[in-house]
Amino acid sequence: MITHPYIELLTPKLHLSPVAPTDLAGLQAIWADHLVARYLPGGEPYSLEVVQAELQNMLAHWQTHHLGIF
């Protein structure tokens, strides 16, 4: 859990906020898509286990450095 204030950017067409555990399903859907996966490291769709690990890394980065991926 992020325990510090963070920046949230909101416009009429865009909402950016730090990653959260609730983003797992959305990340899985995006990173499992073959059209998207060709741009990911390795060029292959990510398994659920890989997405979970990547999300945990992003959450840990926010916790440690107070910045990271939106």
Side-chain angles (χ1 to χ4, degrees):
M1 172 176 253
I2 298 172
T3 58
H4 63 281
Y6 61 85
I7 295 173
E8 186 171 2
L9 303 172
L10 183 61
T11 73
K13 295 185 177 187
L14 180 66
H15 181 193
L16 295 176
S17 61
V19 294
T22 55
D23 294 329
L24 179 62
L27 288 172
Q28 173 61 30
I30 293 168
W31 291 347
D33 185 301
H34 287 278
L35 296 174
V36 173
R38 64 185 173 173
Y39 300 104
L40 297 174
E44 296 293 325
Y46 285 4
S47 67
L48 178 59
E49 293 77 17
V50 170
V51 175
Q52 287 172 322
E54 290 293 328
L55 180 57
Q56 287 304 313
N57 289 338
M58 289 186 275
L59 292 169
H61 193 274
W62 269 102
Q63 188 67 30
T64 302
H65 303 288
H66 307 289
L67 57 90
I69 292 178
F70 279 81

